[in-house]
């Protein structure tokens, strides 16, 4: 059993920023990292879904990881996404993350094949055993096509001591509840994060540990204030703030992949960035930009 909780709170899945010609924009990435740390986040997660890892080569992922870990410079825990369609690449990326000083890795299951449970178990176990770092599982069945059930996750945690948490990007309170109750009964320090913004308060009320959700890129103070209000016992304030947070997932329906939508929201909220995203994502049309703006205005995030 893991004796100490490794991660909790609000950990933004940081958008990867590029220049308008598709080159990693280190200056503006640094600006976003500084902004998020000043806002009071509890960690940063690079190369997740919103970080566009699936549109990158192995070398590009390593470049982003190296820059991010070096720039954060241990100011907050730094998590690197290392999941892949194949075990060899996942191990290569995971050992690289360890070599550059990452605080932990986040591993999504292979997206393409429907793996047998044995093969899926071996994938996570082999990646976990390749490093000494803490490992957070990443469950996003809408994109991978394969759910990580609470029973399966528990079997992994029972056998792999460095698997310390999970990001549950699933729109099901029942799934979150079962994951929290099943895992924390025997592994109380196992961290359960929601991946969807609108499940933050549900997750906390059920005994979970926080959120790794995209809105923290453009309005981090909202999730942070909810987490802090809940932690201090002010449930009324947490609920009032959560009413605003509940409106934000509407923006993710505007386009797919939604990474460009998040960047547009970041820009509308005052961050000096390019909204360029790697293909097949494209820049938003003027009509879609207006849709993002209206949602943020209705939530009183921007004027």
């Amino acid at each position: 059993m893991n004796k100490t909780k490794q991660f909790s709170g609000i950990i933004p899945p940081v958008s990867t920023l590029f220049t308008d010609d598709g080159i990693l924009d280190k200056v503006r990435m640094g600006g976003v990292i500084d902004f998020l740390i000043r806002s009071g986040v509890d960690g940063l997660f690079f190369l997740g879904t919103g970080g566009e890892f699936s549109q990158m080569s192995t070398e590009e992922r390593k470049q982003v990881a190296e820059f991010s870990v070096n720039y954060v410079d241990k100011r907050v825990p730094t998590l690197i996404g290392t999941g892949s369609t194949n075990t060899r690449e996942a191990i290569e990326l995971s050992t690289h993350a360890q070599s550059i000083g990452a605080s932990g890795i986040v591993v999504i299951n292979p997206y393409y094949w429907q793996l047998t449970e044995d093969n899926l178990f071996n994938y996570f176990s082999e990646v976990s055993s390749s490093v000494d770092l803490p490992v957070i599982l990443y469950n996003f069945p809408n994109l991978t096509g394969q759910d990580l059930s609470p029973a399966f996750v528990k079997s992994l945690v029972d056998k792999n001591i460095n698997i310390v948490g999970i990001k549950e990007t699933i729109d099901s309170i029942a799934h979150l509840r079962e994951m929290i109750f099943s895992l924390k009964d025997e592994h109380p320090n196992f961290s359960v994060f929601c991946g969807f913004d609108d499940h933050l308060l549900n997750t906390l009320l059920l005994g979970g540990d926080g959120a790794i959700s995209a809105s923290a890129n453009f309005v981090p103070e909202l999730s942070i204030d909810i987490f802090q209000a809940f932690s201090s016992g002010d449930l009324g304030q947490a609920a009032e703030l959560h009413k605003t947070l509940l409106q934000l997932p509407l923006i993710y329906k505007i386009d797919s992949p939604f990474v460009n939508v998040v960047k547009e929201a970041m820009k509308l909220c005052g961050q000096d960035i390019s909204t360029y995203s790697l293909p097949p994502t494209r820049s938003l049309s003027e009509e879609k930009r207006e849709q993002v703006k209206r949602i943020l205005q209705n939530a009183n995030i921007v004027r």
Side-chain angles (χ1 to χ4, degrees):
M1 177 168 52
N2 299 310
K3 294 181 179 180
T4 58
K5 185 172 294 183
Q6 300 284 334
F7 306 104
S8 65
I10 305 302
I11 302 177
V14 184
S15 294
T16 305
L17 301 183
F18 304 95
T19 61
D20 289 336
D21 54 359
I23 304 301
L24 178 65
D25 191 337
K26 296 181 179 180
V27 172
R28 286 177 172 79
M29 274 290 287
V32 169
I33 290 168
D34 289 337
F35 162 70
L36 293 171
I37 293 174
R38 285 197 306 270
S39 297
V41 298
D42 298 288
L44 295 170
F45 168 35
F46 298 93
L47 295 166
T49 303
E52 300 178 64
F53 81 92
S54 59
Q55 290 97 284
M56 295 183 194
S57 69
T58 301
E59 291 309 310
E60 287 172 329
R61 291 175 70 174
K62 288 181 178 180
Q63 179 191 20
V64 173
E66 288 177 17
F67 168 77
S68 302
V69 170
N70 289 335
Y71 192 88
V72 173
D73 194 26
K74 302 186 188 308
R75 286 178 286 170
V76 295
T78 305
L79 303 173
I80 301 297
T82 62
S84 172
T85 53
N86 70 86
T87 305
R88 291 176 301 161
E89 183 181 49
I91 288 174
E92 180 181 348
L93 291 166
S94 298
T95 56
H96 175 262
Q98 178 165 283
S99 73
I100 61 175
S103 306
I105 57 173
V106 182
V107 185
I108 200 164
N109 40 313
Y111 40 95
Y112 183 78
W113 286 107
Q114 287 280 310
L115 301 184
T116 64
E117 191 165 288
D118 283 347
N119 285 337
L120 190 58
F121 187 95
N122 289 335
Y123 164 80
F124 281 116
S125 295
E126 288 169 14
V127 174
S128 299
S129 64
S130 72
V131 294
D132 298 321
L133 292 174
V135 177
I136 294 178
L137 307 175
Y138 188 175
N139 188 30
F140 201 165
N142 283 355
L143 295 188
T144 65
Q146 191 164 20
D147 179 42
L148 304 182
S149 71
F152 175 77
V153 171
K154 184 178 181 302
S155 70
L156 273 172
V157 176
D158 287 343
K159 295 291 179 63
N160 296 275
I161 193 169
N162 62 329
I163 297 180
V164 301
I166 188 168
K167 177 185 178 182
E168 279 267 82
T169 306
I170 187 166
D171 195 16
S172 168
I173 297 174
H175 199 288
L176 281 162
R177 180 179 62 239
E178 189 177 350
M179 187 68 72
I180 292 166
F181 290 0
S182 298
L183 270 294
K184 288 182 177 289
D185 184 45
E186 292 187 28
H187 302 279
N189 293 309
F190 184 83
S191 298
V192 179
F193 296 93
C194 64
F196 287 130
D197 305 274
D198 44 354
H199 283 304
L200 172 55
L201 191 53
N202 297 330
T203 299
L204 296 174
L205 287 167
L206 288 166
D209 300 280
I212 303 176
S213 51
S215 71
N217 279 287
F218 54 89
V219 59
E221 65 274 12
L222 184 55
S223 293
I224 291 168
D225 287 350
I226 291 169
F227 182 80
Q228 291 180 346
F230 178 87
S231 299
S232 66
D234 192 346
L235 298 185
Q237 176 69 0
E240 191 62 32
L241 292 168
H242 209 259
K243 291 179 184 178
T244 299
L245 190 62
L246 290 173
Q247 301 176 59
L248 300 184
L250 292 171
I251 72 169
Y252 308 137
K253 298 179 181 296
I254 292 173
D255 203 13
S256 181
F258 58 76
V259 295
N260 52 0
V261 178
V262 174
K263 291 179 183 180
E264 191 64 39
M266 292 167 69
K267 191 165 187 174
L268 285 166
C269 288
Q271 298 188 49
D272 177 23
I273 64 168
S274 166
T275 59
Y276 178 91
S277 300
L278 297 176
T281 312
R282 292 290 185 267
S283 297
L284 292 178
S285 65
E286 189 59 38
E287 178 184 0
K288 289 183 176 181
R289 287 193 189 101
E290 284 301 312
Q291 291 178 38
V292 177
K293 186 175 182 179
R294 281 197 298 273
I295 291 168
L296 295 178
Q297 287 175 330
N298 289 338
N300 292 317
I301 301 300
V302 298
R303 296 187 180 276

